[in-house]
Amino acid sequence: MECLKLPPESVEKPLAESRWLSIVGIGEDGIKGLGENACAAISSASIIFGGKRHLELAATLITGEARPWPTPFDAAMRDVVALRGKSVCVLASGDPFFFGVGATLSRHLSAEEFIAYPAPSAFSLAASRLGWPLQEIETVSLHGRPLELIRPLLHPGRRVIALTSDENGPAELAALLTATGFGQSRLTVLEAVGGYQERIRSTKADEFALQDINVLNVVAVEVAAALSARILPRGFGLDDSLFEHDGQITKREIRALTISALSPRRGELLWDIGAGSGSISVEWMLADPSLKAIAIEAHPERAARIRRNAIALGVPGLTLIEGQAPAALAGLPQPDAIFIGGGGSEPGVFDAAVDALKPGGRLVANAVTLEMEAVLLAAHAKHGGDLIRIEVSRAAPIGSMSGWKPAMPVTQWSWVKQ
């Protein structure tokens, strides 16, 4: 049964009365799936924003001015914000606050200015069709975002639901899975879920040949991995072979201890000074999706490797600054943690890092040269903190037998700014 064009006074909306903006989530079933308050918000608004499809779905309720989103989309929402105080409604897909326009609006408006009426998200609808408990699976939006964001989620036996950008998204995802050793994964493409054009089809990634896919789709992945698959383990200390490098890399064991000393916390920003291969930045960001990192690297070839490693290891959002510290640090957002790997003994680098760090932030620096070790000894004498010596030996052939081959020792200084 479709909702009716109800006059605002016929619906009890105590919050809505004091809020100029309504955000209404609408599904492929259109106004049939809306509650009375959502219907009233649409019918009483003087201006209604939305995509062309959304405006068409709600057309029978709209009495005010319908305004399609501008092209290209304005993430600053200037047209909406400029109408502050008027009666405005924004239409969105499904749940506006789950990878939706609600999240964008909330960056520019306070929560006291709007009221939202969410509909089931595409993820919820897909999970309900497949019978997958939503709390037991991974979800990721690849809508307008790099496909590589799915890489850290690809573990054998796991289930992932991915929102794609368009009708080409499922085939592109299948190609990525096949190229990285996950070709036997089963893909279920769910199109226009909840609407009259709903369709569900399944295939293996390396056999993908589906045609005529609806632009509105999500892909459910049942992950299967070949022995050669690039699986990114949880925890610190990824195998060195997963990174492209020229030898300028913080080795696995040292990296695990370094990330542990950096102690990443959700939402924090890392500066990785003298990033080399970017391995510290990459593992920092893999620890949690909310973490951010800026890699500073002066050598163009190494900077290019960092970009490739970030994509290959599923953190395409890694920011790269190609330049020499300390000059390259100017104007960067203040960090919660800093790692100094290369170039730390250069004039001004260490002092600039100490000055830039937030109170309560952590600074970790590693030394393999006498020059950098001298810097760390002086820092320890001046600031305190923890100074440790790390020595790692690996079994290696010695003639016809085996023995221990020591790696270069590393001196590590870690400090919390008061």
Side-chain angles (χ1 to χ4, degrees):
M1 181 177 178
E2 294 188 8
C3 62
L4 303 174
K5 290 185 181 179
L6 300 175
E9 61 272 15
S10 68
V11 181
E12 293 186 11
K13 302 184 297 177
L15 282 177
E17 290 175 359
S18 62
R19 304 188 179 195
W20 62 272
L21 175 65
S22 298
I23 307 172
V24 176
I26 189 168
E28 284 301 287
D29 54 354
I31 61 175
K32 292 181 180 179
L34 298 180
E36 290 184 351
N37 286 338
C39 291
I42 297 171
S43 62
S44 63
S46 57
I47 301 171
I48 301 91
F49 289 92
K52 181 180 177 183
R53 178 175 59 86
H54 299 137
L55 295 172
E56 290 175 351
L57 287 169
T60 58
L61 285 177
I62 294 174
T63 59
E65 177 189 352
R67 292 192 188 179
W69 292 122
T71 303
F73 183 76
D74 178 20
M77 294 286 178
R78 285 179 282 261
D79 289 348
V80 177
V81 175
L83 295 169
R84 181 181 269 114
K86 298 184 181 296
S87 175
V88 181
C89 179
V90 168
L91 300 178
S93 295
D95 185 346
F97 284 87
F98 197 26
F99 297 110
V101 73
T104 304
L105 280 164
S106 67
R107 299 187 188 104
H108 309 285
L109 301 172
S110 69
E112 290 73 25
E113 294 185 79
F114 59 81
I115 186 167
Y117 303 102
S121 69
F123 300 103
S124 293
L125 290 170
S128 69
R129 296 296 190 270
L130 298 170
W132 291 5
L134 201 55
Q135 74 274 11
E136 296 177 6
I137 66 175
E138 305 286 354
T139 59
V140 61
S141 175
L142 305 178
H143 188 275
R145 306 169 77 204
L147 284 177
E148 288 78 13
L149 288 170
I150 200 172
R151 287 182 185 262
L153 308 181
L154 299 176
H155 286 206
R158 298 297 296 168
R159 293 170 169 175
V160 182
I161 296 179
L163 178 66
T164 75
S165 290
D166 52 34
E167 66 275 18
N168 301 314
E172 293 169 353
L173 180 56
L176 183 147
L177 293 173
T178 301
T180 52
F182 297 93
Q184 288 298 297
S185 300
R186 177 157 294 278
L187 306 187
T188 300
V189 181
L190 302 97
E191 308 167 58
V193 183
Y196 69 93
Q197 293 182 331
E198 179 175 325
R199 180 169 57 177
I200 301 174
R201 295 179 284 176
S202 294
T203 182
K204 288 186 177 179
D206 58 6
E207 298 174 356
F208 194 93
L210 301 182
Q211 301 292 323
D212 189 31
I213 297 174
N214 192 295
V215 67
L216 300 172
N217 67 80
V218 292
V219 181
V221 184
E222 297 171 81
V223 183
L227 291 176
S228 61
R230 286 177 58 88
I231 300 170
L232 305 181
R234 302 288 291 177
F236 305 144
L238 295 180
D239 194 287
D240 294 345
S241 65
L242 290 170
F243 295 90
E244 181 186 345
H245 64 89
D246 60 356
Q248 189 74 10
I249 182 174
T250 303
K251 299 297 192 295
R252 180 179 190 172
E253 297 85 358
I254 307 300
R255 192 183 333 120
L257 293 171
T258 300
I259 297 291
S260 177
L262 286 167
S263 303
R265 303 168 185 172
R266 286 185 172 88
E268 289 189 327
L269 170 67
L270 170 75
W271 283 5
D272 182 0
I273 301 175
S277 66
S279 62
I280 294 293
S281 294
V282 167
E283 288 218 32
W284 168 276
M285 292 184 68
L286 284 174
D288 189 83
S290 68
L291 293 169
K292 298 179 181 179
I294 300 174
I296 299 96
E297 175 54 56
H299 298 276
E301 289 185 5
R302 289 174 181 164
R305 287 192 188 96
I306 292 171
R307 291 190 183 94
R308 293 194 292 271
N309 281 328
I311 291 172
L313 290 156
V315 289
L318 171 61
T319 299
L320 176 64
I321 302 297
E322 190 172 331
Q324 184 76 50
L329 307 178
L332 298 182
Q334 190 175 22
D336 303 282
I338 297 176
F339 172 65
I340 303 177
S345 60
E346 295 296 321
V349 172
F350 199 86
D351 289 341
V354 168
D355 291 343
L357 191 63
K358 288 181 180 178
R362 288 85 61 207
L363 193 157
V364 178
N366 291 349
V368 293
T369 65
L370 294 176
E371 291 79 6
M372 185 60 181
E373 185 170 282
V375 172
L376 299 191
L377 291 172
H380 183 253
K382 180 178 181 180
H383 299 286
D386 294 321
L387 191 66
I388 64 173
R389 183 87 158 168
I390 307 169
E391 299 187 37
V392 176
S393 297
R394 295 182 178 86
I398 301 179
S400 61
M401 305 183 76
S402 296
W404 293 106
K405 182 178 181 181
M408 289 185 66
V410 174
T411 301
Q412 182 178 95
W413 179 67
S414 58
W415 171 71
V416 178
K417 187 173 183 178
Q418 301 303 315

